[in-house]
Amino acid sequence: MRKLSLLIISLLMVITADAQFTITSSAEHLLLTDTKYNIDAIAIFNSIPAGTTLNYTGGGNFTWSYTIAGETYTSTQTSITPEDAVQYTILINGVPTYYIYVIDYSLYPVTCSQVITDVPIDNPCEISEIDVIVNAPDLQYVDRNGNTRPLPRFYHIAYTTSAWDAADKSWKDSAAVATAPIVMGKASFVVPAILQDAVIAAYGDSLAVDMGLPIDTCYGSFQAVAVQAHPIGTIIERDAKNEKDRSSQASIQGSAPLVVQLKANPNPLTNPFVEWFIWNVTDSNAFRRFADETVNYTFEETGDYKAKVVVQNGECSYTETLEIRTMESLLEVPNVFTPNDDGINDEFRVAYKSIKEFHIWIYNRWGRLVYKSTDPAKGWDGRINGKPASVGTYYYIINAYGEDKNDKGKRVHYKLSGDCNLLR
């Protein structure tokens, strides 16, 4: 279908809005009309079969002029048969007006012989270099000023690298392509560091690709050395409904003791070496070190922390740091609860965060102890010895210590007492 489309377009298309000529051919071909070439058109054919013509479509007094083997020819026919490496000029009223240069691509075949994927000497952790050795005869044309100029030939490579999928939080295969000019039998590619071992497919040139021709392809193996990581810290949630600041959605912070799963997520290399360094920002020298890709770490005391991951493989190294914060302690005591099994406020529970040590005692109005606990996540369900307690006022005493410290360097101490109403 592509070859047929090229043929139909070529039969009907006027090359530019002003140029009054067309090309008729059964062969695949290209029409290069960019002004950078300083010529109206370069017509590139994959061979020039019988029936191929250049056609003048304008009116008036015109003449074709062209030179072959040192002999100059003219014609007043509307159509002429082109040959390779010849410039055709259309003169209107004796004035050279349109210039067309013809190339038979089949006479300048390109073959690929080797793909070289050595690690670059400079900056191998940021870029990858690939050289493709090709046999590509030079293509030249003559512009409207009579100057012989090279027609660039380009080669391509295609390969699969790794790309981080932020939404899925994982590395995914990512197809990549690159193009480079052929210079003195070689196409040299400099691309962003390829992040996984890959097969490099080299093919071209670009003229053959654009004409839809069978293309010469060769392959090379690439061994990745560049490393990256996309570290993620995820709070391991506790199920206590009355513990505040347990969300892991916006940032890595919450109530202490804060349990965080740290995952390095290095790019898919073979056995990279991964290290985690964790410290409180008040003392960067007192760090903990772990040689694992995934670490579950408990941040006990309130404060600001950093978790740095280092990924390396002997050639390259990559470092990134996460910021983690444990919140200041808090205790909030309710003044009413309704143990009626409606699922709403059925227990007397404190709201808390970053509590290290906790004791609570609850008494009825006659001073009888009805409940005690050392776990702030638990609450009194309004029962005494398994039976519903009477509606009324009860009194609590709380003695607790936070994970944080006060200005004197001692743990924040909570000594609270008060009353709470039990309603049904």
Side-chain angles (χ1 to χ4, degrees):
M1 287 299 295
R2 181 171 181 180
K3 294 181 180 179
L4 179 59
S5 299
L6 282 168
L7 173 59
I8 293 173
I9 292 171
S10 298
L11 287 170
L12 300 178
M13 183 176 65
V14 176
I15 297 178
T16 70
D18 297 326
Q20 298 177 346
F21 54 85
T22 60
I23 293 176
T24 301
S25 181
S26 61
E28 298 88 347
H29 57 276
L30 296 175
L31 304 171
L32 306 182
T33 60
D34 196 299
T35 56
K36 68 184 179 182
Y37 297 116
N38 191 30
I39 193 171
D40 292 285
I42 302 173
I44 303 176
F45 297 87
N46 181 37
S47 78
I48 305 176
T52 297
T53 58
L54 302 181
N55 313 302
Y56 176 67
T57 59
N61 182 14
F62 76 93
T63 304
W64 289 97
S65 177
Y66 52 96
T67 300
I68 299 177
E71 295 288 333
T72 300
Y73 301 88
T74 61
S75 173
T76 58
Q77 299 294 317
T78 56
S79 299
I80 62 173
T81 300
E83 296 185 27
D84 174 62
V86 176
Q87 185 188 84
Y88 295 87
T89 305
I90 301 174
L91 294 83
I92 299 177
N93 296 323
V95 179
T97 304
Y98 301 118
Y99 297 83
I100 309 166
Y101 193 85
V102 173
I103 296 174
D104 183 347
Y105 179 85
S106 66
L107 302 178
Y108 309 89
V110 177
T111 56
C112 172
S113 62
Q114 187 180 9
V115 177
I116 301 173
T117 59
D118 291 340
V119 174
I121 296 176
D122 297 325
N123 207 15
C125 305
E126 299 294 332
I127 61 172
S128 296
E129 294 181 356
I130 297 156
D131 290 332
V132 180
I133 308 302
V134 298
N135 178 21
D138 291 337
L139 286 180
Q140 296 179 330
Y141 71 98
V142 178
D143 66 13
R144 65 173 60 248
N145 297 325
N147 299 315
T148 299
R149 300 172 60 179
L151 181 63
R153 307 184 81 168
F154 292 86
Y155 225 66
H156 306 266
I157 57 171
Y159 56 93
T160 299
T161 184
S162 284
W164 178 253
D165 186 329
D168 196 45
K169 296 181 180 180
S170 64
W171 290 95
K172 299 288 182 65
D173 285 350
S174 177
V177 295
T179 302
I182 301 172
V183 179
M184 299 182 66
K186 182 170 68 174
S188 296
F189 299 82
V190 179
V191 298
I194 300 174
L195 298 177
Q196 67 179 34
D197 292 349
V199 174
I200 308 297
Y203 60 95
D205 67 356
S206 55
L207 298 176
V209 172
D210 291 344
M211 283 190 283
L213 302 177
I215 54 178
D216 188 64
T217 305
C218 55
Y219 301 89
S221 297
F222 180 88
Q223 185 173 358
V225 297
V227 294
Q228 284 189 14
H230 284 269
I232 295 174
T234 303
I235 294 175
I236 298 178
E237 302 285 357
R238 294 188 283 269
D239 58 6
K241 297 179 181 179
N242 55 323
E243 185 177 17
K244 292 191 171 185
D245 292 321
R246 297 301 307 163
S247 173
S248 60
Q249 300 301 315
S251 59
I252 313 174
Q253 65 177 18
S255 171
L258 186 69
V259 183
V260 180
Q261 183 182 76
L262 300 167
K263 296 185 68 174
N265 294 312
N267 58 305
L269 291 177
T270 303
N271 296 323
F273 183 61
V274 180
E275 291 180 291
W276 283 98
F277 299 87
I278 302 170
W279 68 92
N280 190 302
V281 297
T282 60
D283 187 2
S284 59
N285 292 319
F287 60 84
R288 299 287 304 277
R289 174 185 172 276
F290 302 89
D292 298 285
E293 287 192 18
T294 301
V295 174
N296 286 359
Y297 189 81
T298 301
F299 296 85
E300 296 284 356
E301 295 189 357
T302 296
D304 293 315
Y305 295 83
K306 290 185 182 294
K308 180 176 72 174
V309 65
V310 179
V311 181
Q312 52 190 324
N313 62 354
E315 292 282 351
C316 298
S317 178
Y318 184 90
T319 300
E320 190 164 334
T321 301
L322 300 176
E323 296 183 352
I324 299 161
R325 185 167 186 257
T326 54
M327 310 295 289
E328 293 80 5
S329 62
L330 172 74
L331 272 179
E332 293 179 348
V333 186
N335 56 17
V336 64
F337 73 114
T338 57
N340 54 12
D341 296 325
D342 65 354
I344 302 174
N345 200 25
D346 283 333
E347 291 186 336
F348 177 88
R349 288 176 183 253
V350 298
Y352 74 96
K353 59 183 177 182
S354 299
I355 293 298
K356 181 178 181 62
E357 183 179 338
F358 178 83
H359 297 273
I360 183 172
W361 300 268
I362 300 177
Y363 301 87
N364 64 14
R365 68 183 66 184
W366 295 285
R368 177 188 173 186
L369 179 67
V370 298
Y371 175 80
K372 67 178 181 178
S373 176
T374 58
D375 186 351
K378 295 181 178 180
W380 181 39
D381 61 3
R383 294 177 179 273
I384 303 175
N385 296 326
K387 296 181 180 180
S390 301
V391 171
T393 302
Y394 291 80
Y395 303 90
Y396 63 84
I397 297 174
I398 296 175
N399 187 37
Y401 291 89
E403 293 283 4
D404 48 348
K405 297 181 179 180
N406 57 28
D407 295 340
K408 297 180 179 180
K410 295 184 178 180
R411 294 199 176 275
V412 174
H413 188 195
Y414 294 88
K415 297 181 68 174
L416 305 174
S417 61
D419 59 73
C420 180
N421 292 310
L422 187 157
L423 305 177
R424 295 190 189 277

